[in-house]
Amino acid sequence: MAESISLYNTLTGKKEVFKPLKKGHAGIYTCGPTVYWYQHIGNLRTYIFADILKRVLLYNNYKVRHIINVTDVGHLTSDADTGEDKIEKAAKREGKTAKEISEYYLRIFRNDLKKLNILEPSAWPKATEHIKEQIKLIKKLEEKGFTYRTNDGVYFDTSKFKDYGKLARLKIKGLQAGKRISLGEKKHSTDFALWKFSSSGEKRQQECNSPWGVGFPGWHVECSAMSMKYLGETFDIHTGGQDHIQIHHTNEIAQSEASTGRQFVRYWLHGAWLLFKGRKISKSLGGLYTISELESLGFEPMNFRYLCLTTNYRKPLSFTLENL
């Protein structure tokens, strides 16, 4: 085994020698895709960096348990708990069932990973298959006094969690209660949904019974419930894109540590954006190629992997077809 491996930990803002919880073992959780559409090359850069990390650990004789979740319910079109469920919206758009949508786009995603020579994870847990675990976690938070109910769901009260925002170094002092025009509003701007109720005028394909009413889990709660189920209440490494730091991963830490009273993840690693014309690739700006689209232009998928390896994973990478 190598003398030491150093990792840049977003949580502490510095490089640290990797010391696993269990000698010779490493548990890694990578935020997986919301399977409502094709994953573009910006998404895929994040999985390439996680794969390199995993291979470095394997090369140094670590036994790696790697989990990539599949979001097939609960991810709304806005990270702020508003809008339509992305899977439900895609099902309406394509005239298919939510299950058909999620299975189709997951199959393409897994094929893209194969083309990029990315190793398969130890497990692919799906949000829809872990509703019981999510409800159990929310109940635990409720018992400990971290939740409150509104007309549209059960929310996590971020003012009750002492270190909320520590990952993103958010400056939140004395969270002010919002001016509540109706009971459907959150108490604080940073509070987030743990469980959303199906509205009376809404026709959803994916909804479940819960102690609070018929509805579906919030996007953030699924990652906590599934990562802790497969890796333990505290585990070694959590990876994802830098855009998850401020909301998604911050909320994962809050609900996980509030429920267990223990540190959730020891090392947080985040990949930087893929840029196009100096800005994060986006629908409006362009650059959102899929692997299949690059193939149709005459490139091999491994050409893109090689491009990603020309700079550090924490540095932005400028993408153009010329660069590729």
Side-chain angles (χ1 to χ4, degrees):
M1 193 163 290
E3 196 172 304
S4 70
I5 293 172
S6 291
L7 305 174
Y8 181 87
N9 190 352
T10 307
L11 189 63
T12 59
K14 58 188 181 185
K15 281 185 187 177
E16 298 174 348
V17 174
F18 176 58
K19 293 177 181 173
L21 282 165
K22 186 179 175 185
K23 191 177 179 181
H25 292 255
I28 306 174
Y29 185 85
T30 296
C31 270
T34 301
V35 282
Y36 70 103
W37 192 240
Y38 305 99
Q39 300 298 305
H40 57 71
I41 54 174
N43 304 133
L44 292 167
R45 184 189 181 195
T46 302
Y47 297 101
I48 291 171
F49 116 67
D51 187 61
I52 297 297
L53 166 68
K54 180 176 175 179
R55 287 176 183 274
V56 167
L57 291 166
L58 289 167
Y59 181 77
N60 285 281
N61 300 315
Y62 281 90
K63 287 182 179 169
V64 178
R65 181 158 174 76
H66 183 206
I67 306 300
I68 300 181
N69 73 296
V70 179
T71 297
D72 56 354
V73 69
H75 192 169
L76 303 185
T77 48
S78 160
D79 287 352
D81 301 314
T82 58
E84 210 173 343
D85 183 303
K86 291 183 177 185
I87 305 290
E88 298 275 346
K89 187 177 179 181
K92 285 179 196 167
R93 181 188 68 224
E94 299 189 29
K96 295 177 180 174
T97 66
K99 190 173 176 62
E100 284 170 343
I101 288 290
S102 62
E103 287 183 351
Y104 175 75
Y105 289 111
L106 176 59
R107 190 163 60 246
I108 289 171
F109 173 68
R110 290 181 70 169
N111 196 39
D112 284 345
L113 295 193
K114 198 173 177 182
K115 288 176 181 179
L116 289 164
N117 197 29
I118 291 171
L119 299 171
E120 284 265 322
S122 311
W124 290 96
K126 293 180 179 177
T128 52
E129 294 171 0
H130 294 78
I131 299 295
K132 184 178 71 179
E133 288 84 355
Q134 293 172 74
I135 288 173
K136 187 179 174 185
L137 177 57
I138 300 166
K139 280 171 80 176
K140 203 170 175 186
L141 290 168
E142 187 178 53
E143 286 161 14
K144 292 192 171 191
F146 285 100
T147 69
Y148 63 91
R149 288 176 68 155
T150 70
N151 279 339
D152 75 340
V154 178
Y155 284 80
F156 183 93
D157 188 338
T158 54
S159 70
K160 301 273 182 75
F161 185 70
K162 190 179 75 172
D163 289 331
Y164 184 79
K166 62 187 174 184
L167 183 72
R169 292 165 184 73
L170 298 175
K171 304 290 182 203
I172 303 168
K173 286 190 177 178
L175 290 167
Q176 298 294 311
K179 291 177 182 174
R180 303 185 73 194
I181 299 161
S182 72
L183 286 173
E185 291 195 332
K186 301 189 286 189
K187 287 182 182 178
H188 316 103
S189 61
T190 47
D191 293 353
F192 56 92
L194 297 165
W195 188 266
K196 292 282 281 185
F197 302 137
S198 297
S199 60
S200 54
E202 184 183 25
K203 197 168 183 182
R204 287 186 59 86
Q205 291 186 36
Q206 300 190 111
E207 56 187 11
C208 313
N209 290 316
S210 80
W212 312 281
V214 176
F216 55 98
W219 174 40
H220 312 299
V221 79
E222 70 177 62
C223 281
S224 290
M226 292 192 287
S227 63
M228 290 195 288
K229 175 177 179 175
Y230 290 91
L231 296 171
E233 289 183 350
T234 301
F235 58 93
D236 296 307
I237 303 169
H238 196 313
T239 74
Q242 70 177 72
D243 45 334
H244 285 338
I245 296 171
Q246 197 140 354
I247 298 176
H248 185 48
H249 290 170
T250 285
N251 293 346
E252 272 189 66
I253 290 172
Q255 64 201 4
S256 303
E257 297 187 356
S259 71
T260 66
R262 300 171 58 180
Q263 183 178 17
F264 176 42
V265 175
R266 300 176 71 235
Y267 302 88
W268 288 87
L269 276 68
H270 292 94
W273 286 326
L274 195 65
L275 303 182
F276 186 72
K277 296 180 181 174
R279 288 162 60 195
K280 180 188 174 188
I281 58 171
S282 64
K283 283 176 187 166
S284 57
L285 198 68
L288 284 177
Y289 291 99
T290 63
I291 288 298
S292 296
E293 285 169 341
L294 291 181
E295 285 180 300
S296 72
L297 294 170
F299 295 100
E300 294 285 337
M302 290 297 282
N303 298 160
F304 177 67
R305 182 178 175 113
Y306 184 53
L307 177 70
C308 291
L309 299 186
T310 60
T311 191
N312 185 284
Y313 74 94
R314 287 195 300 115
K315 290 182 178 176
L317 174 62
S318 182
F319 178 82
T320 64
L321 293 175
E322 288 74 19
N323 285 353
L324 185 58

